[in-house]
Amino acid sequence: MNRLCLLQGACALAGAALIGLTLAGQARSAPRSSHVSSATIDAALRQTWSAAKVTPLERCDDATFLRRARLDLTGSLPAPAEVEAFLADSQPGKRGRLVERLLHEPRRARHLARWTSEFLLGALEDTPEVRPFLASFRAWLEEAFQQDRSWAAIAARLVAVEGTTNEDPSLLYAVRYGRAGNEDLAGAVAKHFLGLSLECARCHDHPFSAWKQADFQALAAVFVRARLRPLRPGVLRLSEAPLGEHRYQTPAGESRAAQPRYPGERSPPSSDRAVAPRSESSPLFGTTRTSRRAAFARWLSGPQNPYLARNLVNLTWERFFGAPLVEDGVDAAPDSPHAALLNQLAAEVEASGFSLRALERAITGSLAYQRAS
């Protein structure tokens, strides 16, 4: 039984550079006052295993841990000299010291940037005009990860950035999906940053989902004013138009206007007015006459958004264990297996300032990760 099977079996048995200084300050980039804890993971899984009468395997040996951690964190195997030195080290805490060293290696940032770019962009065969910018996009991500920039700030920038592709590599994400229209961009943002399958409700209400067509189209209205145009050969410009509304067709053939709204939000809370000005002519909090995407980015990276941290935890867990912590997604019911652990880790991730390094440190330091397989 490998460590993935052990965790899945327990689940089954239990049954249970920013948009500018404004966005930089609002993208949950406050001083990091706490960390993500391995103990949180161990305590929750220990309780699950006990309730399910599952006996976990013993800890893996040092050679296995070294190989596992280096592959997962840097995408490379340890050199023979590193293996010999690690096995010869008899000092306590050597696994933690190894992880800390790997977390700060440039190879870790490079490996994570490659994984993230593939997750965010997918195949680019159908978008030849953006492929030349892939290397600079990965380099931008690599620098961000090496500096441990907030994932909330990175997400905000990717969603709302404006400019030209030859000057700002972070434009690649919005260009990749925005070139096909605001609905494609809305579906991608919901999937990648919120962990929500709103795309299933793009054309009709999905019979097995709480998300409806109106929810998807309300998010699409956020991106309707994004304008992409060629500036000169090989260079594209992305900007936000001051006007533009989104209309969609119901399954019955009726044409409807979509008012912009954030996922899960029915109306903006009154406290939002203290965060940013609101246009009286628009139901979308934070919208100005020129930037709905910037308003959405403030919500995406702000404390009102319940999905970003949970999705980051779920994605990172899957990257290390081969399956997400909660199979049902970030909006799973509270009684879903490991939903409580997902929420606990998400809260700690927010408190850490959305530090990917802190989250990876907690996962690799947990007994769950260090079990034999």
Side-chain angles (χ1 to χ4, degrees), residues 346-359:
E348 292 185 3
V349 164
E350 288 198 43
S352 77
F354 276 78
S355 166
L356 267 166
R357 186 173 285 154
L359 179 56

Side-chain angles (χ1 to χ4, degrees), residues 162-165 167 171 175 227-231 235-239:
E162 298 182 31
T164 58
T165 52
E167 295 178 348
L171 280 159
V175 169
R227 297 290 184 268
L228 183 64
R229 63 184 179 87
L231 192 63
V235 178
L236 301 171
R237 179 173 182 81
L238 180 65
S239 61

Side-chain angles (χ1 to χ4, degrees), residues 74 94 96-97 123 128 131 149 182 200 213 233 249 273 276 291 317 327:
T74 71
K94 69 178 185 179
R97 292 194 301 275
R131 291 185 69 184
R149 292 180 193 160
N182 60 311
C200 297
Q213 186 185 26
Q249 193 171 59
R273 290 179 177 271
S291 186
W317 190 275
E327 293 281 0

Side-chain angles (χ1 to χ4, degrees), residues 19 130 133 156-182 185 189 222-232 235-241 290-291 293-294:
I19 309 294
V130 301
F133 305 106
R157 176 164 184 159
L158 292 175
V159 165
V161 66
E162 298 182 31
T164 58
T165 52
N166 64 321
E167 295 178 348
D168 192 337
S170 66
L171 280 159
L172 186 58
Y173 179 81
V175 169
R176 162 75 170 93
Y177 297 100
R179 59 181 288 280
N182 60 311
L185 183 55
V189 168
V222 171
F223 300 99
V224 72
R225 294 179 178 177
R227 297 290 184 268
L228 183 64
R229 63 184 179 87
L231 192 63
R232 56 180 180 271
V235 178
L236 301 171
R237 179 173 182 81
L238 180 65
S239 61
E240 188 86 358
T290 57
S291 186
R293 288 188 299 127

Side-chain angles (χ1 to χ4, degrees), residues 187-312:
V189 168
K191 172 186 175 183
H192 296 140
F193 301 114
L194 303 177
L196 302 175
S197 300
L198 294 188
E199 188 73 33
C200 297
R202 181 170 182 165
C203 302
H204 55 81
D205 292 348
H206 197 283
F208 306 115
S209 173
W211 299 106
K212 305 304 180 185
Q213 186 185 26
D215 296 316
F216 175 86
Q217 298 299 340
L219 181 59
V222 171
F223 300 99
V224 72
R225 294 179 178 177
R227 297 290 184 268
L228 183 64
R229 63 184 179 87
L231 192 63
R232 56 180 180 271
V235 178
L236 301 171
R237 179 173 182 81
L238 180 65
S239 61
E240 188 86 358
L243 299 172
E245 301 302 332
H246 178 61
R247 300 191 68 86
Y248 68 99
Q249 193 171 59
T250 68
E254 176 187 359
S255 177
R256 290 184 182 175
Q259 294 296 324
R261 191 177 70 244
Y262 307 138
E265 296 282 309
R266 297 306 163 198
S267 60
S270 58
S271 61
D272 281 350
R273 290 179 177 271
V275 179
R278 179 186 175 193
S279 169
E280 295 299 329
S281 63
S282 169
L284 178 63
F285 154 69
T287 298
T288 67
R289 292 185 181 276
T290 57
S291 186
R292 286 185 178 178
R293 288 188 299 127
F296 175 78
R298 286 192 290 271
W299 172 85
L300 175 72
S301 58
Q304 305 95 331
N305 173 16
Y307 305 112
L308 185 68
R310 279 186 274 175
N311 186 52
L312 179 60

Side-chain angles (χ1 to χ4, degrees), residues 24-41:
Q26 296 184 3
R28 305 190 202 186
S29 55
R32 299 171 180 181
S33 58
S34 64
H35 64 283
V36 189
S37 172
S38 300
T40 300
I41 299 172

